[in-house]
Amino acid sequence: MSEEQCVSRQRFQKEVLSEICHLLQPDLQPGISTRTAMPIAVKATVVLTFFASGSFQAASGDICTISQFTAHRCIRDMTQALYRWRMEFIVFPMNRDKQDEWICGFARIAGIPIVQGSIDCTHVALRAPFQNAEVFRNKKGYHSLNMQLLCDHTQRILAVYSRYPGSAHDAFIQHVSNVPQMFVPSREGCGWLLGDKGYILATWQINTLRNTTTEQCYNDSNVATCNIIEQTIGVLKQCLRCLDISGCSLQHCLQLRYSLWCAACCTTWP
């Protein structure tokens, strides 16, 4: 494919696709050498087309003229491989240089000091499961996972947590995730996260205030700074339409572990 076709179909440049293939080669290399073994580049093309389009597996397989079952195996194997590499790319660095970089970056947005990141949740649409379907129905009326994301001022994803259904509250997901352990007690006083009204105030979390007029300046600065996570979610879903309801609800059974799928998608995020 040309560079234009690659960006249009997979949402990535050819150079990025080559890097992904090189990274996953040890995980996806066939165990035996046969003429029918599928090249890693073909597997990556099918899977990234599926991530980018949010279409059905058969439609993604058509781009490389392979069957739906083969496309399913490619998606399964590559998703598992990307999930194993997630800690290399989705990481919250603890060094002081990175913290200072985030502080300066967020302060330039609206002047709020010592901010370490912005946090929010987004819903990933999925087909209604056969069991406990109503647990997955969110407040907007469709079935989903509630995926929590944490990013820095450059829209780099620092943490992802996607284990709970759409009915779970944002504050609950944050409480049971590993985010509080990043700040308490060793990081207490080193800065805070910014969130919206759906989160609970803490020594390391500041949110938009409710029903206030005297602190409107603070609220405006908080909203402007928190907008970075909204932009990150928007661009992520625009590039990887399998995470967005406008693409297509995820059609597979829960045994494929949707949380693994979401983390794998975020791992490909530049």
Side-chain angles (χ1 to χ4, degrees):
M1 291 183 294
S2 65
E3 185 73 29
E4 292 76 13
Q5 289 175 322
C6 195
V7 173
S8 175
R9 294 179 180 179
Q10 282 85 37
R11 305 295 194 271
F12 293 103
Q13 297 178 345
K14 295 181 72 173
E15 181 181 358
V16 176
L17 289 176
S18 298
E19 293 178 358
I20 292 176
C21 292
H22 179 74
L23 175 70
L24 300 181
Q25 184 172 1
D27 301 275
L28 301 179
Q29 186 69 33
I32 57 176
S33 298
T34 63
R35 295 178 58 186
T36 58
M38 185 176 298
I40 296 175
V42 175
K43 295 180 180 179
T45 300
V46 171
V47 175
L48 293 179
T49 299
F50 177 76
F51 285 175
S53 66
S55 183
F56 290 91
Q57 294 176 347
S60 300
D62 288 344
I63 193 174
C64 294
T65 62
I66 63 176
S67 67
Q68 184 273 333
F69 177 73
T70 304
H72 167 79
R73 293 184 60 181
C74 290
I75 294 170
R76 180 199 62 191
D77 295 344
M78 189 167 172
T79 298
Q80 293 174 347
L82 286 169
Y83 184 79
R84 289 192 291 268
W85 279 95
R86 72 193 186 284
M87 299 303 295
E88 296 292 327
F89 300 95
I90 305 175
V91 59
F92 196 97
M94 307 296 286
N95 62 78
R96 191 62 191 178
D97 291 339
K98 271 296 181 183
Q99 294 176 22
D100 292 340
E101 179 185 338
W102 296 335
I103 289 172
C104 294
F106 279 109
R108 285 194 294 266
I109 297 175
I112 298 183
I114 58 174
V115 176
Q116 295 292 326
S118 183
I119 190 171
D120 200 4
C121 289
T122 184
H123 291 278
V124 178
L126 50 82
R127 185 185 66 182
F130 295 111
Q131 297 180 347
N132 301 321
E134 288 306 307
V135 175
F136 288 86
R137 188 183 298 277
N138 60 35
K139 60 184 179 182
K140 298 180 180 180
Y142 62 89
H143 298 86
S144 68
L145 284 180
N146 198 359
M147 178 173 67
Q148 175 184 272
L149 294 175
L150 170 64
C151 77
D152 66 6
H153 63 287
T154 65
Q155 298 185 353
R156 181 179 179 86
I157 296 176
L158 305 176
V160 57
Y161 198 82
S162 54
R163 299 181 180 179
Y164 283 87
S167 62
H169 195 275
D170 294 0
F172 169 78
I173 294 176
Q174 184 195 54
H175 176 71
V176 298
S177 70
N178 58 350
V179 170
Q181 284 72 34
M182 296 178 183
F183 290 84
V184 181
S186 60
R187 290 178 57 88
E188 187 172 356
C190 296
W192 43 62
L193 297 180
L194 291 185
D196 58 20
K197 298 176 182 179
Y199 291 100
I200 299 174
L201 287 172
T203 56
W204 46 270
Q205 171 91 40
I206 56 176
N207 309 323
T208 306
L209 300 178
R210 297 174 180 267
N211 303 323
T212 179
T213 55
T214 58
E215 301 296 339
Q216 190 61 44
C217 182
Y218 161 78
N219 270 355
D220 291 343
S221 297
N222 189 297
V223 170
T225 309
C226 279
N227 191 45
I228 193 69
I229 185 64
E230 299 291 345
Q231 294 173 358
T232 302
I233 292 172
V235 175
L236 176 68
K237 287 190 170 185
Q238 183 179 14
C239 291
L240 304 176
R241 301 302 288 270
C242 68
L243 299 178
D244 188 67
I245 192 172
S246 64
C248 183
S249 299
L250 297 178
Q251 297 294 311
H252 312 284
C253 59
L254 288 177
Q255 282 74 11
L256 287 180
R257 298 174 60 188
Y258 286 131
S259 61
L260 180 148
W261 197 327
C262 294
C265 288
C266 293
T267 303
T268 65
W269 184 245

